[in-house]
Amino acid sequence: MKVSHYTVHSPRTISEALNILKDGAARPIAGGTDVMVQIKDDLVKETELLNLSYIMDLNYIRDDGDFIRVGALTTYSDLIRSRLVNEYSPVLVEAARTVGAVQIQNRGTLAGNVGNASPAGDGLPPLFATGAKVKLQSEASEREVDIGDYFLGVRKTVRQPNELITEVSVRKMKPGDYYFFKKIGLRSANAISLVSVAAVLVPAEVLTFKEARIAMGAVAPTVIRAKSAEAAILNCQLTDEKMKEVGRLASEEAHPITDIRATAEYRKQAIAGAVYEGLYEIVNGFRSPVNGSSV
Amino acid sequence: MEIEVSFVLNGKRVTVKAPPAKSLLRVLREDLDITSPKPGCEAGECGACTVLLDGKAVTSCLVMISQVQDREIWTDEGLVKDGQLDPIQKAIAEEGGSQCGYCTPGFVMSAKALLNSNPHPTEKEIVESISGNICRCGAYPRLVQAIKKVANE
Ligand SMILES: Cc1cc2nc3c(=O)[nH]c(=O)nc-3n(C[C@H](O)[C@H](O)[C@H](O)COP(=O)(O)OP(=O)(O)OC[C@H]3O[C@@H](n4cnc5c(N)ncnc54)[C@H](O)[C@@H]3O)c2cc1C
C-alpha cells in the first residue's frame, strides 16, 4: 500500500482517541518504531492510523503504592532517566538500556512493546518477572489484565480492536530483591534478542531465596515463566552445580524455533547459559540488590 | 489525501503539505530540500537519517510527518552558522571521520545530541551514543576521536 493511502487521526485527549477507536478500524501508533517498519514492509492492513503522540495525558511515570504506573507514551529513555523506575524496577531499566540504540529508546514505548506482542520484546520479560498489569480502555469500559494473561501467541493478545492500552503498571521490587536481565543478540545495538531472560529473586536469608520469578523471551510464542527453574532456586544454597541445574531446567522449559538468526538448539543452550550467568553474578557479588531508598 | 503540518526546522517555522503517514525523512528530502538526512535502511537500523526532534536523536525514517506539528527539528544544515561549521562537524572533518560520507550527517546529529546533554562524556558514553549509527567505511575510531576532541575543548 502506498503511504498516501493512509489516513491519520491525531487526537489530543484519551477520550477523543477512544472515540476514534470505537469501531476498531484504526491502528494505534505511538513511537512508530514497529509500525513504520511494518508500513514500509506493507504489513499494515488498516488504512487508518491512530497517532497517539499528542495525547499528553498518556505521558507519565507515577508512583502509586505498590505500583509504578507508566503511561502509554512513555519511552525507554523516559524509563532509563526516571529515578522512581531506577529505584523500584531496576530490572526494567536494565532491559530498557538494551533496546535498539539511543534513537529507538527515544521513540519506542513500553506500551508499544506490549502492543507489538513479539516474544522477543525486551521490555516484556521484566514485566513478567515483576508482575505487571496492562490497562485496556475502550469508550465503554476499562479493565486491567495481568501480564501473564495478556498474550495469546505471536502478535496475538486479548486486546480488542476498540481498546487502547493506556497504561502499564509495574509492580515495585522490594529492597533486598536481586535481579538480572540478560539478552543475547547478534550485536549489542539494534539487534533483536535471540533469547532474553529477566529474573527477580526475593531473599530469605543471605543468598538463599524464598521467591523466584524467571521470565524468558524468544523461546516460545509468548514470553514464558521458567517454573521448574524457579522452584529449584528456593530455599537452598546456590552452589555452582545448583546454578547449572537451574539453567538446564530453564532450557528444558524453552521451546524455541529455528529461524534465520539462530537454531532452536542454539537458543536452548543460550538460555541455560544466560540463566547461569545471571545467578553466578548474584551469588558472586557482582550484583547489588534493590536499594529502595537511595539510588 | 494530504495534511498541512507546521513545525520549527533549524530555527525557522516551516509549513508543509504531505500525505499524513509519510516519513519525516522523506518530507525533509523531497518537500523541504533538506538532504543531509540520508535514506539508508529506512527501518531505523542504520542511523543515516538521524535528526534532533525536540533535542533528542531520532531516526527520521520512523517518524510520521503527522507527529511533528509544532515540534522542533534540527538537521546538519542548521548547525552551520554564518558559513562556519559546528565544532563537531569540524572535528569529524579534521579527524578524518568521514570517508564516503553517506553516514556522516547521522553521526553528526547523534554526537550533537550527546554533547548537548553531556558535554564531557566518557568513551563508553560516546560509543553508546553512536551505536545506532552504522559506518560501512569503518571510520568509528576517528569518529570517537572527533567527539572526544570536542568534549575536551
Ligand atoms: C532499529 C530497531 C531496533 C529495535 N530494537 C529492539 C530491541 O532491541 N528490543 C525490542 O524489544 N524491540 C526493539 N525494536 C522494536 C520496537 O522499538 C519496540 O517494540 C518498541 O517498544 C515499540 O514501541 P513504539 O512506541 O515504537 O510502538 P509502535 O510502533 O507505535 O507500535 C507497536 C505496536 O503496538 C501497537 N500499539 C502501540 N501503542 C499502543 C497502545 N497504546 N494501545 C494499543 N496498541 C498500541 C501498535 O498498533 C503496533 O501494533 C526495535 C525496532 C527498531 C526499528
Side-chain angles (χ1 to χ4, degrees):
Chain A
M1 198 151 39
K2 281 186 26 203
V3 73
S4 52
H5 288 147
Y6 295 96
T7 315
V8 181
H9 304 277
S10 295
R12 308 280 153 162
T13 65
I14 297 173
S15 59
E16 278 174 72
L18 297 178
N19 185 262
I20 292 161
L21 210 53
K22 192 165 53 181
D23 56 4
R27 175 72 170 271
I29 172 167
T33 58
D34 285 310
V35 173
M36 288 299 275
V37 180
Q38 289 160 6
I39 287 178
K40 175 177 126 80
D41 294 341
D42 208 2
L43 295 173
V44 175
K45 54 182 192 312
E46 296 89 341
T47 55
E48 285 181 57
L49 302 174
L50 174 59
N51 168 28
L52 304 176
S53 61
Y54 301 126
I55 308 178
M56 285 308 112
D57 283 349
L58 287 178
N59 192 359
Y60 59 87
I61 297 175
R62 248 179 242 141
D63 191 345
D64 187 11
D66 289 342
F67 285 92
I68 303 167
R69 300 195 175 272
V70 177
L73 264 188
T74 304
T75 63
Y76 297 103
S77 296
D78 296 332
L79 296 173
I80 292 166
R81 267 199 312 269
S82 159
R83 195 192 150 100
L84 188 67
V85 182
N86 275 277
E87 269 188 46
Y88 292 107
S89 195
V91 69
L92 182 59
V93 174
E94 192 170 356
R97 285 184 186 283
T98 73
V99 172
V102 180
Q103 292 97 321
I104 301 300
Q105 291 167 9
N106 281 339
R107 293 290 291 168
T109 62
L110 184 62
N113 207 230
V114 173
N116 194 49
S118 157
D122 291 316
L124 307 181
L127 299 182
F128 278 74
T130 53
K133 292 178 181 176
V134 181
K135 189 192 268 185
L136 291 170
Q137 270 182 265
S138 72
E139 205 171 40
S141 68
E142 176 179 319
R143 56 178 177 145
E144 267 199 324
V145 182
D146 282 336
I147 194 78
D149 299 327
Y150 189 81
F151 301 99
L152 302 174
V154 179
R155 302 201 188 289
K156 292 200 182 67
T157 74
V158 301
R159 182 179 85 86
Q160 298 301 306
N162 67 343
E163 288 178 313
L164 191 66
I165 303 168
T166 50
E167 183 178 272
V168 178
S169 296
V170 183
R171 193 186 299 275
K172 286 182 185 171
M173 296 167 68
K174 301 240 157 48
D177 288 358
Y178 281 87
Y179 64 93
F180 62 81
F181 177 79
K182 295 278 170 191
K183 162 174 177 172
I184 295 169
L186 295 176
R187 60 189 283 258
S188 58
N190 281 349
I192 232 178
S193 281
L194 300 176
V195 297
S196 63
V197 55
V200 174
L201 307 186
V202 181
E205 289 161 45
V206 181
L207 293 181
T208 66
F209 300 97
K210 60 179 183 202
E211 229 181 286
R213 289 184 301 277
I214 303 177
M216 307 185 285
V219 297
T222 68
V223 170
I224 53 169
R225 295 266 298 272
K227 299 264 176 155
S228 62
E230 292 174 354
I233 287 175
L234 303 185
N235 306 313
C236 65
Q237 221 60 49
L238 284 178
T239 59
D240 205 60
E241 208 33 59
K242 187 75 188 178
M243 293 189 286
K244 287 195 174 118
E245 185 199 324
V246 174
R248 212 157 40 230
L249 288 168
S251 160
E252 277 167 20
E253 287 174 281
H255 300 285
I257 56 164
T258 294
D259 66 11
I260 51 163
R261 292 186 194 87
T263 61
E265 298 84 84
Y266 177 89
R267 287 190 159 97
K268 280 182 89 90
Q269 285 191 29
I271 199 76
V275 168
Y276 171 76
E277 188 177 280
L279 294 173
Y280 180 95
E281 288 170 3
I282 290 173
V283 168
N284 291 287
F286 296 113
R287 287 181 166 268
S288 321
V290 173
N291 187 322
S293 54
S294 64
V295 170
Chain B
M1 199 196 85
E2 297 203 329
I3 56 159
E4 205 173 83
V5 182
S6 165
F7 55 99
V8 179
L9 174 60
N10 295 327
K12 293 193 198 87
R13 178 148 299 259
V14 297
T15 303
V16 67
K17 271 185 137 174
K22 191 168 177 176
S23 71
L24 172 62
L25 170 65
R26 286 289 165 185
V27 171
L28 289 172
R29 293 183 58 83
E30 294 166 7
D31 304 317
L32 292 167
D33 209 21
I34 293 288
T35 54
S36 69
K38 298 287 185 268
C41 65
E42 291 197 78
E45 291 180 30
C46 76
C49 68
T50 301
V51 302
L52 301 191
L53 171 58
D54 289 346
K56 293 183 193 143
V58 304
T59 41
S60 58
C61 68
L62 298 182
V63 179
M64 273 196 308
I65 192 63
S66 301
Q67 297 183 308
V68 302
Q69 177 66 36
D70 295 332
R71 304 262 141 109
E72 192 185 3
I73 287 151
W74 288 89
T75 68
D76 278 68
E77 285 87 346
L79 301 188
V80 181
K81 295 222 172 61
D82 308 321
Q84 295 293 306
L85 294 180
D86 185 88
I88 186 62
Q89 294 171 319
K90 202 157 163 267
I92 289 177
E94 285 169 1
E95 295 299 315
S98 177
Q99 192 173 327
C100 86
Y102 200 80
C103 69
T104 312
F107 273 96
V108 167
M109 298 319 288
S110 287
K112 195 69 193 164
L114 171 72
L115 293 166
N116 281 346
S117 64
N118 180 2
H120 303 292
T122 62
E123 171 142 354
K124 184 162 175 278
E125 288 168 334
I126 292 174
V127 169
E128 264 175 26
S129 77
I130 56 172
S131 68
N133 295 73
I134 288 175
C135 167
R136 285 290 93 140
C137 302
Y140 301 110
R142 289 158 187 260
L143 286 156
V144 171
Q145 197 49 45
I147 299 171
K148 272 191 194 160
K149 189 171 175 180
V150 178
N152 292 333
E153 262 162 18

